[in-house]
Each structure stands twice: as structure tokens, then as C-alpha cells.
Amino acid sequence: MIQRYQGQQTQWRLSFVSDSEKAMTLTPGDGPCAWTVHVGSSDELTPERLRRAAAKAVKTMKELGGKTGVLDAAPLLPILGPAAGAALTQGAELALHEAPSFATGTPKEPITLWLDGDCDGLDQALQETAQLTRSICLARDLVNCPANKLTPALMAEEMTREAEALGIQCQVLDEHQARTLGMEAFLTVGSSALHPPRLIVLRYRGGGDEDPICLVGKGVTCDTGGYCLKAASSMKGIKGDMAGAAAVWGAVLALAANHVPVNVTAVIPSVENRISPDSYIPGDVIGSMSGKTIEVGNTDAEGRLILADGVTYAIREEHAARIVDIATLTGAVVGMFGFTTAGYLSNNEGFSDAFQAAYHRSGEQYWPLPTFPEYRKMIESPLADLSNTSSDGCGTITAGLFIGAFAEDKPWIHIDIAGTAWVDSPRFEYQTKGATGAGVTTLYELCKGYAQEV
Ligand code: BES
Ligand code: ZN
Ligand code: ZN
């Protein structure tokens, strides 16, 4: 965590100033390691802009070999208040957080930063942001973890270890317990591998006795495609197919660490999608916890199968008041929005408005997708209640609507982060190569928006 500056000797001083002609450029200051970072005019100043500016500045410092630095927020605090300090520290920390290496040899020397400047409420804002940043980094680490070191059971262990340390109530269901609940869609995918599936449930109770918001995250620890095997060139990122799971875990950790007065339950169906002698194959018809039957059109459309049961579990067993599912679900969303923007759809205007307000606060980019009745027809099946593939394209929308068919009458949002969860090269300055931690801050803000007044 970035501490408050108390006169330590540092190699670098990065001062952030607004209302300059030059937007977000670095200019040398009066010493060899004193730089002034121009962040643009004060009427256009946003926390997101500052996250990017701080990230760019510390990456530059790092490239030039700097090991210690102070971020001077003083000129910006009168303009944006404590949010300026929070955004600068978050941008800097995220920019420096890299995927852990398994290479042998001497580890890199760490970089230490401090924040200079003061205003009312700064300590509290820095505390909250530090917890959020930590959760984003934990989510990134989990997604970066190779699949051979993160089976569903190992993911359950890692998630519950961090959650229990924050007083979150944890339950991990194995395949036998899932069988008792009738989670056939989840188990069908889950039995494609030697490593058995797990349903991970994390219950954070910061609110009163109201029913929880349930965050359902796709936890496919590796997605080979199953019998509809992916091409070798599409297999590089398959370990990252649990980024939805990491996002809901990170959000719940941050809510608990910050004692946000709200009830939230993370529901994480975790499986490997592989090939075994008894794996499911295209043409199979399977059941689900809801009772609905599903025709399997493609074994690589596994995410919606496990999420369907995750959503039914959230309604039946966790009494969800509202449901969000989040997943690296379709290649189609990457074609539409690229690596900077996630797509979402919803069955409820009020909930959707709350989500929009949440991503405006977090600074992450999302864009809504339509849910016209014609799209529902595309996932009809001649021999079952639903098909897990579309008969007529529109891959992202139809995948979402498939999951929505299990949401019953609950306000529900589906988020597809297949494009934003992973970057081979950073699209925003505060990203580093690999997992981005997509979704953590927006889900946190969404749940915080439902917090009780205290
Ligand atoms: N996990 C993938 C989606 C994905 C693609 C994530 C690219 C990240 C990057 C998902 O399970 C999948 O394979 N979806 C298929 C669905 C199709 C077979 C209907 C897809 O999008 O191609
Ligand atoms: Zn797949
Ligand atoms: Zn997948």
C-alpha cells in the first residue's frame, strides 16, 4: 500500500498539476528526478484520468530505474478532493503490479511510493481504495495462475482462505453435494475432467436481514473446448476463463474489507472443460437444476451451462434478491467491442440504471446490448427447452439470454468480459500484460450503491 509521505528521501518526485495547456504529458522539473505531470484542465478532471496519469508516470519512472518516489497530489486535492489522492495511488499501484513469475533467479527489487498532500477525508479514501486495489491485484493473480496450479479445488482453497480472513462465511460444495441439488448442467461440464468441480459460495453479510445480491462468476479454470476442441492458436489464454469468478471474489473481498453495509453472496461454479471418455458431446440433451432441458450444440459453449445452474442455485438456495452473472463468455464480444469495453444485458431497467451509475463511478467501460424477442428464438431447440448455441449468430446476446432464461423474475444483469479480462499488451496505462482484474471495481460500486444508510 502507498503510505502518506513524511519527508522520506526519495529518488523521484512526481507532481500532478491541472489547468495546463498540455494534457497528460510529463515535463522535467527543476531537479534531475523531479517531474511535473500535466493532467489537463480542471473541468475535465476525473478519477479515471488521474489513474491513467499516475500509471504512466510511475511506469516511466520504473523504466528509468527509479526505485523510490513520491506522488505529489497537493495541486489536485482542492479540485477533486480525496478522490484525487485515491485515484493517483490506485493508478500507480495497478501499473506496478505484474504477474508473478515462476522463473528461478533473483526477484526484482520492489518500488516504494508515497503520497504527498492533505485534505479532509483523505485517509479514509486512501484506506478504501487500498482495499479495492488489493482485491483487484488478487483477482489478477488468480487469473494469471496457470491451470495446472489452479484446479477447481485449489481455487476453492485460495478463495476461502482470503475470504475467511475477512470474516466472510464460506461453503464449498463438491460434486456429490451438487448432485443432491440436481445441478446437472454444472456437473455435465464438470465431469469432463479428472479434477472434480466445485461450487464455491461466499456469503458477506454487512447489511441487515435483507436478501442478498448474488454475484455469479464463471470459474472455468481451463477451457479446452471439450470435444469441440479449440484450435491450438485459440488455446493460449484458456487459463483465464475463470476471470468472472475472480471478479466476484475480488468484489466481495473489497466489500468485506471496507465493511460496506450490504448483503452480497458470490456463487462460483468452477470446472475444467476438458475431454474424458465420458465427456458430453454435441447432440446430447442434459437437464439442469431448474428442471429445464438443454440440447448441447457445442461443448465449447460450456460457460452458460454452469452459469445457468449457478443462477438457479442463487435463487433457490441463497434467496437472491438480485443477480449479476459475469463471465469470459464469448469471442463475439471481443469482435464487437475489442479489449477496452465489456458488453452487458439485463431484464430490469432500474437494476441496469444502477449498473450504469456504478461503471461511471468505477471508470471501467461497458456498453448495453439489446434483448429483442427475436434473439430468444435463436436459442430454441427442436428437442429440448433450450439450445446452448444460437441458430442465427448474435453470439454475445444469445449467450446472455440463455443465462437469463434461468433468472426467473429476479432483476438480473449479464456481463461478458471476454475482451476486457486479459490483455497481451496494456490498453490502459494502469494495466500490465496479462489479467486486468476487470469487473472488481464496478461490482463493488454496484453493491455499494445498494448499501443501507448508516
Ligand atoms: N471462454 C470462451 C469464450 C472466450 C473467447 C473467452 C475468447 C475469452 C476469449 C467460451 O467458453 C467459448 O468458447 N465460447 C464460444 C461459444 C460458441 C462455441 C457458441 C465462442 O465464443 O466461440
Ligand atoms: Zn468454451
Ligand atoms: Zn469458456
Side-chain angles (χ1 to χ4, degrees):
M1 184 188 158
I2 295 179
Q3 305 290 336
R4 300 288 290 272
Y5 182 62
Q6 282 165 335
Q8 290 88 346
Q9 280 285 328
T10 66
Q11 299 166 312
W12 283 71
R13 184 170 188 88
L14 302 161
S15 302
F16 295 84
V17 301
S18 181
D19 286 324
S20 151
E21 291 292 294
K22 301 172 203 129
M24 279 175 62
T25 54
L26 293 161
T27 53
D30 46 15
C33 295
W35 290 64
T36 311
V37 183
H38 302 272
V39 295
S41 69
S42 55
D43 46 332
E44 285 173 9
L45 213 57
T46 59
E48 178 64 10
R49 219 182 154 99
L50 296 186
R51 268 189 287 275
R52 294 180 195 180
K56 187 172 178 177
V58 299
K59 276 184 176 173
T60 307
M61 179 187 117
K62 185 181 173 186
E63 268 165 35
L64 295 173
K67 298 288 177 216
T68 55
V70 50
L71 309 172
D72 180 7
L76 302 180
L77 295 175
I79 308 169
L80 266 196
L88 289 175
T89 55
Q90 184 167 65
E93 286 195 85
L94 290 178
L96 295 177
H97 184 85
E98 287 184 8
S101 167
F102 294 92
T104 53
T106 39
K108 289 180 201 155
E109 225 183 294
I111 290 171
T112 311
L113 298 170
W114 290 269
L115 184 82
D116 200 4
D118 200 10
C119 70
D120 277 354
L122 185 58
D123 271 329
Q124 207 196 334
L126 291 179
Q127 280 295 336
E128 182 183 15
T129 300
Q131 292 299 344
L132 206 38
T133 306
R134 174 177 182 268
S135 302
I136 298 168
C137 293
L138 283 171
R140 283 186 183 180
D141 289 351
L142 204 67
V143 177
N144 282 323
C145 191
N148 66 333
K149 300 190 186 297
L150 195 77
T151 61
L154 290 171
M155 187 161 84
E157 270 178 36
E158 173 66 13
M159 285 186 162
T160 54
R161 195 167 50 82
E162 291 291 340
E164 272 167 2
L166 290 167
I168 296 167
Q169 204 248 318
C170 303
Q171 190 183 354
V172 179
L173 284 74
D174 64 18
E175 62 275 34
H176 309 292
Q177 291 163 302
R179 175 78 54 207
T180 309
L181 291 170
M183 303 185 75
E184 192 178 330
F186 167 63
L187 289 167
T188 296
V189 184
S191 58
S192 70
L194 201 59
H195 299 122
R198 291 288 181 267
L199 183 76
I200 305 160
V201 185
L202 312 172
R203 303 183 187 98
Y204 167 60
R205 292 293 175 270
D209 53 11
E210 80 274 10
D211 286 337
I213 303 172
C214 284
L215 307 177
V216 185
K218 174 178 174 182
V220 178
T221 57
C222 70
D223 180 10
T224 68
Y227 273 96
C228 300
L229 192 62
K230 287 181 185 294
S233 57
S234 304
M235 285 225 194
K236 205 171 42 117
I238 63 175
K239 69 175 181 184
D241 209 17
M242 32 56 71
V248 304
W249 176 58
V252 169
L253 291 181
L255 289 163
N258 286 325
H259 309 288
V260 179
V262 66
N263 292 339
V264 180
T265 298
V267 174
I268 298 161
S270 180
V271 298
E272 293 186 341
N273 189 26
R274 292 204 192 217
I275 296 172
S276 71
D278 195 34
S279 289
Y280 71 138
I281 52 173
D284 283 358
V285 173
I286 62 173
S288 66
M289 186 178 179
S290 71
K292 285 187 163 68
T293 56
I294 304 164
E295 179 188 0
V296 176
N298 191 313
T299 61
D300 200 8
E302 83 296 342
R304 68 198 75 182
L305 298 176
I306 67 167
L307 289 167
D309 273 354
V311 166
T312 304
Y313 174 87
I315 296 170
R316 302 250 173 103
E317 301 292 316
E318 302 296 327
H319 309 286
R322 300 181 173 77
I323 299 167
V324 181
D325 79 79
I326 179 163
T328 47
L329 205 64
T330 64
V333 81
V334 193
M336 264 191 295
F337 296 146
F339 299 97
T340 62
T341 309
Y344 70 98
L345 41 95
S346 173
N347 63 1
N348 184 287
E349 216 172 300
F351 199 24
S352 196
D353 288 348
F355 180 67
Q356 192 176 50
Y359 66 74
H360 286 154
R361 288 195 297 274
S362 75
E364 288 192 305
Q365 293 185 170
Y366 294 83
W367 203 260
L369 296 166
T371 58
F372 300 120
E374 292 76 19
Y375 296 121
R376 262 179 211 113
K377 291 211 174 343
M378 297 177 189
I379 47 170
E380 285 176 358
S381 156
L383 65 162
D385 294 324
L386 288 161
S387 164
N388 84 332
T389 51
S390 166
S391 57
D392 204 16
C394 311
T396 304
I397 297 170
T398 50
L401 289 177
F402 179 94
I403 300 165
F406 297 84
E408 300 177 13
D409 59 347
K410 303 296 175 197
W412 157 82
I413 298 171
H414 161 72
I415 311 171
D416 194 335
I417 55 169
T420 57
W422 185 274
V423 288
D424 283 334
S425 61
R427 297 306 193 280
F428 300 110
E429 293 284 354
Y430 47 77
Q431 294 176 332
T432 49
K433 181 179 158 58
T436 61
V440 174
T441 52
T442 301
L443 292 174
Y444 175 85
E445 289 294 344
L446 176 67
C447 294
K448 193 179 164 190
Y450 285 95
Q452 298 164 333
E453 302 281 324
V454 280

